[in-house]
Amino acid sequence: MYREILVPTDGSKAAERAIDHALDLAETYDARIHALYVVDTSIYTSLDAGADVVIDALEREGDAATRHVREAAEEAGIDVQAEVVTGTAYRSIREYIDGHDIDLVVMGTHGRTGLSHYLLGSVTERVVRTSPVPVLTIRLDDDEENEADAADEATDADAEE
């Protein structure tokens, strides 16, 4: 049923849960995993100075996130392909789907609602709405969501110092 499974990752706890599901499905269907990290350059186009530094850091983060998926897949004996690309996140995911004959996308979602969802947008939601293939979304439970939010706040505080 599924031969090529895409798991977009950003290194978050939600992505980690999605990776577990994607690996399980790949094992069940003898499918290949495609790990994709998108360096969303659209966010940084307005920066005059320092954009290169930010993008370089995000590319290193992407290498680490996709390496994690690659290692987990290889440990499970699953064929894996990993790539870091630049562009707008949901568009790059769509292009990857089209260019690699993806059968299924497995992605994490933070489950935000209301104003935070409106302000932050949702890559997952856009992929769900525009994908030509099924998209399995993996949501964190409430305790995991609270832990992830606390970790995000701590990282933001460290960055401000």
Side-chain angles (χ1 to χ4, degrees), residues 5 25 40 95 107 123 127:
I5 299 173
L25 286 164
D40 195 339
E95 289 169 5
M107 344 181 30
V123 172
V127 171

Side-chain angles (χ1 to χ4, degrees), residues 47-55:
L47 291 177
D48 290 333
D52 290 343
V53 173
V54 172
I55 290 170

